[in-house]
Amino acid sequence: MRYNRVLLKLSGEALAGDQKMGIDATTVADVAHQIKDAVDTGCEIAIVCGGGNIWRGKIGADMGMDRSSADYMGMLATVMNGLAVQNALEAIGVPTRVLSAIEMRQVAEPYIRRRAVRHLEKGRVVIFGAGTGNPFFTTDTTAALRAAEIQADVILMAKNGVDGVYSADPKLDPNAQRFDSITYHDVLTKDLKIMDQTAITLCKDNNIDLCVFNMAERGNIAKACEGVVIGTTISGGLKND
Ligand code: UDP
């Protein structure tokens, strides 16, 4: 099944390259090319950028900072990543808009749901920055929230070097098995670590499918958009249960 509208979750780490911190221009350019290939399949693409390559709220909290302030710093980090992805996409001719959940008109449009949908309909890649705009949340939860708001067909969770969801950590357990498909119920009862529980619950309650796959394998984002079965698909969300 081909998807018409997808929400791509890019963790901050996906932009950091080998050093795992900061923004690596070559890595961002590579990610942009992969996204362009996905756009060329005719799919509408919205992106939620993480910020963990620059800052996480927990780092600040562990240093004794007020958690809310530390989280706002994390949200600003996601905007930096969003601008980097925008720059790399526009350099190869892909029209984009960055929409920020925290108003900063000089650098990004404010997030307005209907405007985001309009941009997508016009073939622009929409990049959501500043997470949900609220502390105590993550960009995984942002991905679930925005996917529900724009009625995305699926969340594509692009991982770096992890090709799906396993029954146990494959690095520690040689008997760990990769699931092709599982339900949200399994994820919650088996406590599988894919996204935080808030994000999983949001996906489950709103019946949003999630595809976890390895973006280190070139062409996988486009394949996922075309509905080729790669990685693990999590579905079985029920409304109102
Ligand atoms: N964050 C937040 N509210 C949100 C989204 C993100 O406070 O709605 C902050 C939080 O401090 C988080 C940081 O932004 O640690 C970076 O986001 P995240 O850790 O989800 O990034 P990723 O792990 O995907 O790179």
Side-chain angles (χ1 to χ4, degrees), residues 44 73 75 93 141 161 208:
E44 293 175 2
M73 289 169 67
M75 287 181 253
T141 302
I208 305 165

Side-chain angles (χ1 to χ4, degrees), residues 9-13 49-53 55-58 67 70-75 78 130-140 142:
K9 165 70 208 294
L10 284 180
S11 69
E13 215 177 59
C49 281
N53 54 323
W55 182 262
R56 281 180 204 282
K58 192 177 175 307
R67 178 67 195 240
D71 277 343
Y72 279 115
M73 289 169 67
M75 287 181 253
T78 72
T132 62
N134 300 292
F136 302 99
F137 287 95
T138 63
T139 52
D140 285 352
T142 310

Side-chain angles (χ1 to χ4, degrees), residues 23-166:
I23 297 172
D24 178 62
T26 312
T27 306
V28 177
D30 186 62
V31 169
H33 275 102
Q34 288 215 53
I35 295 168
K36 184 179 189 305
D37 291 345
V39 170
D40 289 344
T41 68
C43 192
E44 293 175 2
I45 300 185
I47 301 172
V48 167
C49 281
N53 54 323
I54 299 171
W55 182 262
R56 281 180 204 282
K58 192 177 175 307
I59 300 173
D62 289 348
M63 285 171 9
M65 277 184 75
D66 169 62
R67 178 67 195 240
S68 300
S69 300
D71 277 343
Y72 279 115
M73 289 169 67
M75 287 181 253
L76 297 180
T78 72
V79 178
M80 291 172 71
N81 284 335
L83 293 177
V85 172
Q86 173 176 51
N87 212 270
L89 281 169
E90 300 227 320
I92 53 174
V94 180
T96 65
R97 292 289 186 276
V98 177
L99 272 56
S100 172
I102 295 174
E103 217 174 290
M104 46 178 102
R105 288 176 177 271
Q106 286 78 2
V107 287
E109 289 181 16
Y111 170 67
I112 297 168
R113 187 188 70 85
R114 293 172 69 105
R115 192 179 274 188
V117 170
R118 190 80 191 103
H119 286 318
L120 289 168
E121 287 168 354
K122 286 188 172 174
R124 297 168 184 146
V125 171
V126 170
I127 302 165
F128 294 120
T132 62
N134 300 292
F136 302 99
F137 287 95
T138 63
T139 52
D140 285 352
T141 302
T142 310
L145 176 66
R146 295 290 184 247
E149 287 185 276
I150 65 168
Q151 297 181 314
D153 301 319
V154 67
I155 298 175
L156 301 181
M157 179 147 275
K159 295 277 185 190
N160 241 344
V162 183
D163 63 355
V165 180
Y166 284 77

